[in-house]
Amino acid sequence: MLIETLAAAGRSCFAAASLRPFSRSSAMAKSKFEYVRSFETDDTCLRNCYIVVRLDGRNFHKFAEQHQFAKPNDDRALGLMSRSARSVMEELEDITIAYGQSDDFIFVFKRTTTWFKRRASKLMTHVASQFSSSYVFYWKEFFGEQPLLYPPGFDGRVVLYPTNHNLRDYLSWRQADCHINNLYNTVFWTLIQKGGLTTTQAEDRLKGTLASDKNEILFSEFDINYNNESAVHRKGTTLIWEKRNETVSKRIKRPNEEEQQVPVTRSRRKVEAYYCDIIGDQFWEEHPDVLEDDT
């Protein structure tokens, strides 16, 4: 009886001892040092607003030169940017639309998103890290054996837009910027590659020119109709979610029958790419689910 009593006491002492470290650590969590958390700023994004995360390549002019990107547009680089953006959308399904051009990509979270409690820093860093890691991961898919000399960098910012009108104006501004930059670069590099000018001479030739002047240079001197240039270069890349029906084969075995291959159709959401005008109304009328109703 005495032995059993001592054994029970020993077990209770052991149990109490095993709990002490946990209780001490719990106490430490509420220690005098916890005040440092008060230095964190509240970066919760305002409710009922579209959250836009915009990424820009850091020092990408140098990156493009060192990796020998084709001028004025390198389809491998543009394809890699789009693939990286698709990876971000597949990871964060509350992104309703993304738009990209050159080394710039924009991601729009729907107004009702609660991802990361709508914290701007969390959303921005997750988008930037997923995009950057995807860029490195898919490099070989687009550049083959050409080595990636060093990791690319992308900086980000968060902007809120409360209405569909505001958001559409923002995306229109980015696509207009794509057109302006691509037209200039197309004429600039055509003057160098086909016209034999130096970079300085090409810059001087284009000073003060309007869009109509640049189109005239391309057409009259090089027989190039700018409107026939690739849409992905002129319009950029727009990514949205769409439902697609997929038919797959499934092996089914019914009672007293041999196993058979049976076609099965199912609907899945996939990220689809468009290279079209998003300034006018047609794109938005054809894809009404991209934007949420203004309330």
Side-chain angles (χ1 to χ4, degrees), residues 138-207:
Y138 292 111
W139 174 268
K140 279 194 172 183
E141 185 176 316
F142 293 88
F143 284 85
E145 295 305 312
Q146 180 177 332
L148 179 63
L149 302 177
Y150 58 89
F154 296 90
D155 60 55
R157 73 200 75 173
V158 174
V159 188
L160 304 182
Y161 293 98
T163 69
N164 290 341
H165 178 77
N166 296 147
L167 180 63
R168 282 189 55 180
D169 279 354
Y170 174 73
L171 293 171
S172 296
W173 170 53
R174 299 313 306 144
Q175 188 167 69
D177 184 70
C178 173
H179 163 69
I180 293 169
N181 290 338
N182 188 67
L183 177 57
Y184 181 91
N185 288 333
T186 300
V187 182
F188 179 80
W189 287 104
T190 300
L191 288 170
I192 294 170
Q193 294 168 352
K194 296 185 177 181
L197 301 187
T198 65
T199 55
T200 301
Q201 290 171 333
E203 287 174 358
D204 291 339
R205 176 76 188 279
L206 294 176
K207 278 182 181 177

Coordinates of all heavy atoms in Angstrom, one line a residue, residues 138-207:
Y138 N 10.5 28.8 -63.6 CA 10.1 28.5 -65.0 C 11.1 29.1 -66.0 O 10.8 29.0 -67.2 CB 8.7 29.1 -65.3 CG 7.6 28.4 -64.5 CD1 6.9 29.0 -63.5 CD2 7.2 27.1 -64.8 CE1 5.9 28.4 -62.7 CE2 6.2 26.4 -64.1 CZ 5.6 27.1 -63.1 OH 4.6 26.4 -62.4
W139 N 12.2 29.6 -65.6 CA 13.2 30.2 -66.5 C 13.5 29.3 -67.7 O 13.5 29.6 -68.9 CB 14.4 30.6 -65.8 CG 15.5 31.1 -66.6 CD1 16.6 30.4 -67.2 CD2 15.7 32.5 -67.1 NE1 17.4 31.2 -67.9 CE2 16.9 32.5 -67.9 CE3 15.0 33.7 -66.9 CZ2 17.4 33.6 -68.5 CZ3 15.5 34.8 -67.5 CH2 16.7 34.8 -68.3
K140 N 13.9 28.0 -67.4 CA 14.3 27.1 -68.4 C 13.2 26.7 -69.4 O 13.5 26.4 -70.5 CB 14.8 25.8 -67.7 CG 16.3 25.9 -67.2 CD 16.8 24.5 -66.9 CE 18.3 24.6 -66.6 NZ 18.9 23.3 -66.3
E141 N 12.0 26.8 -68.9 CA 10.9 26.5 -69.8 C 10.8 27.5 -71.0 O 10.4 27.1 -72.1 CB 9.5 26.6 -69.0 CG 8.3 26.1 -69.8 CD 7.1 26.1 -68.9 OE1 7.1 25.6 -67.8 OE2 6.0 26.6 -69.4
F142 N 11.3 28.7 -70.8 CA 11.3 29.7 -71.8 C 12.6 30.0 -72.4 O 12.7 30.4 -73.6 CB 10.6 31.0 -71.3 CG 9.2 30.8 -70.9 CD1 8.8 30.3 -69.7 CD2 8.2 31.1 -71.9 CE1 7.4 30.2 -69.4 CE2 6.8 30.9 -71.6 CZ 6.5 30.4 -70.3
F143 N 13.7 29.9 -71.7 CA 15.0 30.3 -72.1 C 15.9 29.1 -72.4 O 17.1 29.2 -72.7 CB 15.7 31.2 -71.1 CG 15.1 32.6 -71.2 CD1 14.0 33.0 -70.5 CD2 15.7 33.6 -72.0 CE1 13.5 34.3 -70.6 CE2 15.2 34.9 -72.1 CZ 14.1 35.2 -71.4
G144 N 15.4 27.9 -72.2 CA 16.2 26.7 -72.4 C 17.5 26.6 -71.7 O 17.5 26.8 -70.4
E145 N 18.6 26.4 -72.4 CA 19.9 26.2 -71.7 C 20.6 27.6 -71.4 O 21.7 27.6 -70.9 CB 20.8 25.4 -72.6 CG 20.3 23.9 -72.7 CD 20.0 23.3 -71.3 OE1 20.9 23.4 -70.5 OE2 19.0 22.7 -71.1
Q146 N 20.0 28.7 -71.8 CA 20.6 30.0 -71.5 C 20.5 30.2 -70.0 O 19.5 30.1 -69.4 CB 19.8 31.1 -72.2 CG 20.4 32.5 -71.9 CD 19.7 33.6 -72.6 OE1 19.2 33.4 -73.7 NE2 19.7 34.8 -72.0
P147 N 21.7 30.4 -69.4 CA 21.7 30.4 -67.9 C 21.1 31.7 -67.3 O 21.1 32.8 -67.9 CB 23.2 30.3 -67.6 CG 23.9 30.9 -68.8 CD 23.0 30.5 -69.9
L148 N 20.5 31.5 -66.2 CA 20.0 32.7 -65.4 C 21.2 33.2 -64.6 O 21.6 32.5 -63.7 CB 18.8 32.3 -64.5 CG 18.3 33.4 -63.6 CD1 17.7 34.5 -64.4 CD2 17.2 32.8 -62.7
L149 N 21.7 34.3 -64.9 CA 23.0 34.8 -64.3 C 22.9 35.2 -62.8 O 23.8 35.0 -62.1 CB 23.6 35.9 -65.1 CG 23.8 35.6 -66.6 CD1 24.3 36.9 -67.3 CD2 24.8 34.5 -66.7
Y150 N 21.7 35.7 -62.5 CA 21.5 36.1 -61.1 C 20.0 36.3 -60.9 O 19.2 36.5 -61.9 CB 22.2 37.4 -60.7 CG 21.9 38.6 -61.6 CD1 20.8 39.5 -61.2 CD2 22.6 38.9 -62.7 CE1 20.5 40.6 -62.0 CE2 22.3 40.0 -63.5 CZ 21.3 40.8 -63.1 OH 21.0 41.9 -63.9
P151 N 19.5 36.2 -59.7 CA 18.0 36.2 -59.4 C 17.5 37.6 -59.7 O 18.1 38.6 -59.4 CB 17.9 35.9 -57.9 CG 19.2 35.4 -57.5 CD 20.2 35.9 -58.4
P152 N 16.3 37.7 -60.4 CA 15.7 39.0 -60.7 C 15.0 39.5 -59.4 O 14.7 38.8 -58.4 CB 14.6 38.6 -61.7 CG 14.2 37.2 -61.3 CD 15.5 36.6 -60.9
G153 N 14.8 40.8 -59.4 CA 14.2 41.5 -58.2 C 12.9 42.2 -58.7 O 12.9 42.8 -59.8
F154 N 11.9 42.2 -57.9 CA 10.6 42.9 -58.2 C 10.2 43.6 -56.9 O 10.1 43.1 -55.9 CB 9.5 41.9 -58.6 CG 9.8 41.2 -59.9 CD1 10.5 39.9 -59.8 CD2 9.4 41.7 -61.1 CE1 10.8 39.2 -61.0 CE2 9.7 41.0 -62.3 CZ 10.4 39.8 -62.2
D155 N 9.9 44.9 -57.1 CA 9.3 45.7 -56.0 C 7.8 45.8 -56.2 O 7.3 45.6 -57.3 CB 10.0 47.1 -55.9 CG 9.8 47.9 -57.1 OD1 8.6 48.1 -57.5 OD2 10.8 48.4 -57.7
G156 N 7.1 46.1 -55.1 CA 5.7 46.1 -55.2 C 5.1 47.3 -54.4 O 5.7 47.9 -53.6
R157 N 3.8 47.5 -54.8 CA 3.1 48.6 -54.0 C 1.6 48.1 -54.0 O 1.2 47.3 -54.8 CB 3.2 49.9 -54.7 CG 2.5 50.1 -56.0 CD 3.0 51.2 -56.9 NE 4.2 50.8 -57.5 CZ 4.9 51.5 -58.4 NH1 4.3 52.6 -58.8 NH2 6.0 51.1 -59.0
V158 N 0.9 48.7 -53.1 CA -0.5 48.4 -52.9 C -1.4 49.6 -53.1 O -1.0 50.6 -52.5 CB -0.8 47.7 -51.6 CG1 -2.4 47.5 -51.4 CG2 -0.1 46.4 -51.4
V159 N -2.4 49.6 -53.9 CA -3.3 50.7 -54.1 C -4.7 50.2 -54.1 O -5.0 49.1 -54.5 CB -3.0 51.4 -55.5 CG1 -3.8 52.7 -55.6 CG2 -1.6 51.6 -55.8
L160 N -5.6 51.0 -53.5 CA -7.0 50.7 -53.3 C -7.9 51.5 -54.3 O -7.7 52.7 -54.4 CB -7.5 50.9 -51.9 CG -6.7 50.2 -50.8 CD1 -7.4 50.5 -49.4 CD2 -6.6 48.7 -51.0
Y161 N -8.8 50.8 -54.9 CA -9.8 51.5 -55.8 C -11.2 51.1 -55.4 O -11.5 49.9 -55.4 CB -9.5 51.1 -57.3 CG -8.2 51.6 -57.8 CD1 -7.0 50.8 -57.8 CD2 -8.0 53.0 -58.1 CE1 -5.8 51.3 -58.2 CE2 -6.8 53.5 -58.5 CZ -5.7 52.6 -58.6 OH -4.5 53.2 -58.9
P162 N -12.0 52.1 -55.1 CA -13.3 51.8 -54.5 C -14.4 51.4 -55.5 O -15.4 50.7 -55.1 CB -13.7 53.1 -53.7 CG -13.0 54.1 -54.5 CD -11.7 53.5 -55.0
T163 N -14.3 51.8 -56.7 CA -15.4 51.6 -57.7 C -14.9 50.9 -58.9 O -13.7 50.9 -59.3 CB -16.1 52.9 -58.1 OG1 -15.1 53.7 -58.9 CG2 -16.5 53.7 -56.9
N164 N -15.8 50.3 -59.7 CA -15.4 49.7 -61.0 C -14.9 50.7 -61.9 O -14.0 50.5 -62.7 CB -16.7 49.0 -61.6 CG -17.1 47.8 -60.8 OD1 -16.3 47.2 -60.1 ND2 -18.3 47.4 -61.0
H165 N -15.5 51.9 -61.9 CA -15.0 53.0 -62.8 C -13.5 53.4 -62.5 O -12.7 53.5 -63.4 CB -15.9 54.3 -62.6 CG -15.4 55.4 -63.4 ND1 -15.7 55.5 -64.7 CD2 -14.8 56.6 -63.1 CE1 -15.2 56.7 -65.2 NE2 -14.6 57.3 -64.2
N166 N -13.2 53.5 -61.2 CA -11.8 53.8 -60.8 C -10.9 52.7 -61.3 O -9.8 53.0 -61.8 CB -11.7 53.9 -59.3 CG -12.5 55.1 -58.7 OD1 -13.0 55.0 -57.6 ND2 -12.6 56.2 -59.5
L167 N -11.3 51.4 -61.1 CA -10.4 50.3 -61.4 C -10.2 50.2 -62.9 O -9.1 50.1 -63.4 CB -11.0 49.0 -60.9 CG -10.2 47.8 -61.2 CD1 -8.8 47.8 -60.6 CD2 -10.9 46.5 -60.8
R168 N -11.3 50.4 -63.7 CA -11.2 50.4 -65.1 C -10.3 51.5 -65.7 O -9.5 51.3 -66.6 CB -12.6 50.4 -65.8 CG -13.3 49.1 -65.7 CD -14.6 49.1 -66.6 NE -14.3 49.5 -68.0 CZ -15.2 49.6 -68.9 NH1 -16.5 49.3 -68.6 NH2 -14.9 50.0 -70.1
D169 N -10.4 52.7 -65.1 CA -9.6 53.8 -65.5 C -8.1 53.5 -65.2 O -7.2 53.8 -66.0 CB -10.0 55.1 -64.7 CG -11.2 55.8 -65.4 OD1 -11.6 55.3 -66.5 OD2 -11.6 56.7 -64.8
Y170 N -7.8 52.8 -64.1 CA -6.5 52.4 -63.7 C -5.9 51.5 -64.8 O -4.8 51.6 -65.3 CB -6.4 51.8 -62.3 CG -5.0 51.3 -62.0 CD1 -4.0 52.1 -61.7 CD2 -4.8 49.9 -61.9 CE1 -2.7 51.6 -61.3 CE2 -3.6 49.4 -61.6 CZ -2.5 50.3 -61.3 OH -1.3 49.8 -61.0
L171 N -6.7 50.4 -65.1 CA -6.2 49.4 -66.0 C -6.1 50.0 -67.4 O -5.2 49.7 -68.2 CB -7.2 48.2 -66.1 CG -7.2 47.4 -64.8 CD1 -8.4 46.4 -64.8 CD2 -5.9 46.6 -64.6
S172 N -7.0 51.0 -67.8 CA -6.9 51.7 -69.0 C -5.6 52.5 -69.1 O -5.0 52.6 -70.2 CB -8.1 52.6 -69.2 OG -9.3 51.9 -69.3
W173 N -5.3 53.1 -68.0 CA -4.0 53.9 -68.0 C -2.8 53.0 -68.2 O -1.9 53.4 -69.0 CB -3.9 54.6 -66.6 CG -2.6 55.2 -66.3 CD1 -1.9 56.1 -67.1 CD2 -1.7 55.0 -65.2 NE1 -0.7 56.4 -66.5 CE2 -0.6 55.8 -65.4 CE3 -1.8 54.2 -64.1 CZ2 0.5 55.7 -64.4 CZ3 -0.8 54.2 -63.1 CH2 0.3 54.9 -63.3
R174 N -2.8 51.8 -67.6 CA -1.7 50.9 -67.8 C -1.6 50.4 -69.3 O -0.5 50.3 -69.8 CB -1.8 49.7 -66.9 CG -1.8 50.1 -65.4 CD -0.7 51.0 -65.0 NE 0.6 50.6 -65.4 CZ 1.6 51.4 -65.9 NH1 1.4 52.7 -66.0 NH2 2.8 50.9 -66.2
Q175 N -2.8 50.1 -69.9 CA -2.8 49.7 -71.3 C -2.4 50.8 -72.2 O -1.7 50.6 -73.2 CB -4.1 49.1 -71.7 CG -4.0 48.4 -73.1 CD -5.2 47.6 -73.4 OE1 -6.3 48.1 -73.6 NE2 -5.0 46.2 -73.5
A176 N -2.8 52.0 -71.9 CA -2.4 53.2 -72.7 C -0.9 53.4 -72.6 O -0.2 53.7 -73.6 CB -3.1 54.4 -72.3
D177 N -0.3 53.1 -71.4 CA 1.1 53.2 -71.2 C 1.8 52.2 -72.0 O 2.9 52.4 -72.6 CB 1.4 53.1 -69.7 CG 2.9 53.2 -69.4 OD1 3.4 54.4 -69.5 OD2 3.6 52.2 -69.1
C178 N 1.2 51.0 -72.1 CA 1.8 49.9 -72.9 C 1.9 50.3 -74.4 O 2.9 50.1 -75.0 CB 1.0 48.6 -72.8 SG 1.4 47.2 -73.8
H179 N 0.8 50.9 -74.9 CA 0.8 51.3 -76.3 C 1.9 52.4 -76.6 O 2.6 52.3 -77.5 CB -0.6 51.8 -76.7 CG -0.6 52.7 -77.9 ND1 -0.4 52.1 -79.2 CD2 -0.8 54.0 -78.1 CE1 -0.4 53.1 -80.1 NE2 -0.7 54.2 -79.5
I180 N 1.9 53.4 -75.7 CA 2.9 54.5 -75.9 C 4.3 54.0 -75.9 O 5.1 54.3 -76.7 CB 2.7 55.6 -74.8 CG1 1.3 56.2 -74.9 CG2 3.8 56.6 -74.8 CD1 0.9 57.1 -73.8
N181 N 4.6 53.2 -74.9 CA 6.0 52.6 -74.8 C 6.4 51.7 -75.9 O 7.5 51.8 -76.4 CB 6.2 51.9 -73.4 CG 6.1 52.8 -72.2 OD1 6.4 54.0 -72.3 ND2 5.8 52.3 -71.1
N182 N 5.4 50.8 -76.3 CA 5.8 49.9 -77.3 C 5.9 50.6 -78.7 O 6.8 50.2 -79.5 CB 4.7 48.8 -77.4 CG 5.1 47.7 -78.3 OD1 6.0 46.9 -78.1 ND2 4.4 47.6 -79.5
L183 N 5.1 51.6 -79.0 CA 5.2 52.3 -80.2 C 6.6 53.0 -80.3 O 7.3 52.9 -81.3 CB 4.1 53.3 -80.4 CG 4.1 54.2 -81.6 CD1 4.1 53.3 -82.9 CD2 3.0 55.2 -81.7
Y184 N 6.9 53.6 -79.2 CA 8.2 54.3 -79.2 C 9.4 53.3 -79.4 O 10.3 53.5 -80.2 CB 8.4 55.0 -77.9 CG 9.8 55.8 -77.8 CD1 9.9 57.1 -78.2 CD2 10.9 55.1 -77.3 CE1 11.1 57.8 -78.2 CE2 12.1 55.8 -77.3 CZ 12.2 57.1 -77.7 OH 13.4 57.8 -77.7
N185 N 9.3 52.2 -78.6 CA 10.4 51.2 -78.7 C 10.5 50.5 -80.1 O 11.6 50.3 -80.6 CB 10.2 50.1 -77.6 CG 10.5 50.7 -76.2 OD1 11.3 51.6 -76.1 ND2 9.9 50.1 -75.2
T186 N 9.3 50.3 -80.7 CA 9.3 49.7 -82.0 C 10.0 50.6 -83.0 O 10.8 50.1 -83.8 CB 7.8 49.4 -82.4 OG1 7.2 48.5 -81.5 CG2 7.8 48.8 -83.8
V187 N 9.6 51.9 -83.0 CA 10.3 52.8 -84.0 C 11.7 53.0 -83.6 O 12.6 53.0 -84.5 CB 9.5 54.2 -83.9 CG1 10.2 55.1 -85.0 CG2 8.1 54.0 -84.2
F188 N 12.1 53.2 -82.4 CA 13.4 53.4 -81.9 C 14.3 52.3 -82.4 O 15.4 52.5 -83.0 CB 13.5 53.5 -80.4 CG 14.8 53.7 -79.8 CD1 15.4 54.9 -79.8 CD2 15.5 52.6 -79.3 CE1 16.7 55.1 -79.2 CE2 16.8 52.8 -78.7 CZ 17.4 54.1 -78.7
W189 N 14.0 51.0 -82.2 CA 14.8 49.9 -82.5 C 14.8 49.6 -84.0 O 15.8 49.1 -84.6 CB 14.5 48.7 -81.7 CG 14.9 48.8 -80.3 CD1 14.2 49.1 -79.2 CD2 16.3 48.7 -79.8 NE1 15.0 49.2 -78.1 CE2 16.3 49.0 -78.4 CE3 17.5 48.5 -80.4 CZ2 17.4 49.0 -77.6 CZ3 18.7 48.5 -79.7 CH2 18.6 48.7 -78.3
T190 N 13.7 50.0 -84.7 CA 13.7 49.8 -86.1 C 14.7 50.8 -86.8 O 15.4 50.4 -87.8 CB 12.3 50.0 -86.7 OG1 11.3 49.1 -86.1 CG2 12.2 49.9 -88.2
L191 N 14.7 52.0 -86.3 CA 15.7 53.0 -86.8 C 17.1 52.5 -86.6 O 18.0 52.8 -87.4 CB 15.5 54.3 -86.1 CG 14.2 55.1 -86.5 CD1 14.0 56.3 -85.5 CD2 14.3 55.6 -87.9
I192 N 17.4 51.8 -85.5 CA 18.7 51.3 -85.2 C 19.0 50.0 -86.0 O 20.0 49.9 -86.7 CB 18.9 51.0 -83.7 CG1 18.8 52.3 -83.0 CG2 20.2 50.3 -83.4 CD1 18.7 52.1 -81.5
Q193 N 18.1 49.0 -86.0 CA 18.3 47.7 -86.6 C 18.2 47.7 -88.1 O 18.9 47.0 -88.8 CB 17.4 46.7 -86.0 CG 17.6 46.4 -84.5 CD 16.5 45.7 -83.8 OE1 15.5 45.4 -84.4 NE2 16.7 45.3 -82.6
K194 N 17.3 48.5 -88.6 CA 17.0 48.5 -90.1 C 17.5 49.9 -90.7 O 17.8 49.9 -91.9 CB 15.6 48.3 -90.4 CG 15.1 46.9 -90.0 CD 13.6 46.7 -90.4 CE 13.2 45.3 -90.1 NZ 11.8 45.0 -90.5
G195 N 17.5 50.9 -89.9 CA 17.9 52.2 -90.5 C 19.3 52.6 -90.3 O 19.8 53.6 -90.8
G196 N 20.0 51.8 -89.5 CA 21.5 52.0 -89.3 C 21.8 53.2 -88.4 O 23.0 53.6 -88.4
L197 N 20.9 53.7 -87.7 CA 21.2 54.8 -86.8 C 21.8 54.4 -85.5 O 21.6 53.2 -85.1 CB 19.9 55.7 -86.5 CG 19.1 56.3 -87.6 CD1 18.0 57.2 -87.1 CD2 20.1 57.1 -88.5
T198 N 22.5 55.3 -84.8 CA 23.0 55.0 -83.5 C 21.9 55.2 -82.5 O 20.9 55.9 -82.8 CB 24.2 55.8 -83.1 OG1 23.8 57.2 -83.0 CG2 25.3 55.7 -84.1
T199 N 22.0 54.8 -81.2 CA 21.0 55.1 -80.2 C 20.8 56.6 -80.0 O 19.6 57.1 -79.9 CB 21.4 54.5 -78.9 OG1 22.7 54.9 -78.5 CG2 21.4 52.9 -79.0
T200 N 21.9 57.4 -80.0 CA 21.7 58.8 -79.9 C 21.0 59.4 -81.1 O 20.1 60.3 -80.9 CB 23.1 59.5 -79.8 OG1 23.8 58.9 -78.6 CG2 23.0 61.0 -79.6
Q201 N 21.3 59.0 -82.3 CA 20.7 59.5 -83.5 C 19.2 59.2 -83.5 O 18.3 60.0 -83.9 CB 21.3 59.0 -84.7 CG 22.7 59.5 -85.0 CD 23.5 58.8 -86.1 OE1 23.2 57.6 -86.4 NE2 24.4 59.5 -86.8
A202 N 18.8 57.9 -83.0 CA 17.4 57.5 -83.0 C 16.7 58.3 -82.0 O 15.5 58.7 -82.2 CB 17.4 56.0 -82.6
E203 N 17.3 58.6 -80.8 CA 16.6 59.4 -79.8 C 16.4 60.9 -80.4 O 15.3 61.4 -80.2 CB 17.5 59.5 -78.6 CG 17.5 58.2 -77.8 CD 18.5 58.3 -76.6 OE1 19.2 59.3 -76.5 OE2 18.6 57.3 -75.8
D204 N 17.4 61.4 -81.1 CA 17.2 62.8 -81.6 C 16.1 62.8 -82.7 O 15.3 63.7 -82.8 CB 18.5 63.2 -82.2 CG 19.6 63.5 -81.2 OD1 19.2 63.7 -80.0 OD2 20.8 63.5 -81.5
R205 N 16.0 61.7 -83.5 CA 15.0 61.6 -84.6 C 13.6 61.6 -84.0 O 12.7 62.2 -84.6 CB 15.3 60.4 -85.4 CG 14.3 60.1 -86.5 CD 14.5 61.0 -87.7 NE 13.4 60.9 -88.6 CZ 13.3 59.9 -89.5 NH1 14.2 59.0 -89.6 NH2 12.3 59.9 -90.4
L206 N 13.4 61.0 -82.8 CA 12.1 60.8 -82.3 C 11.7 61.9 -81.3 O 10.6 61.9 -80.8 CB 12.0 59.5 -81.5 CG 12.1 58.2 -82.5 CD1 12.1 57.0 -81.6 CD2 11.0 58.2 -83.5
K207 N 12.6 62.9 -81.0 CA 12.3 63.9 -80.1 C 11.1 64.8 -80.6 O 11.1 65.2 -81.8 CB 13.5 64.9 -79.9 CG 14.5 64.3 -78.8 CD 15.6 65.3 -78.6 CE 16.6 64.8 -77.6 NZ 17.8 65.6 -77.5

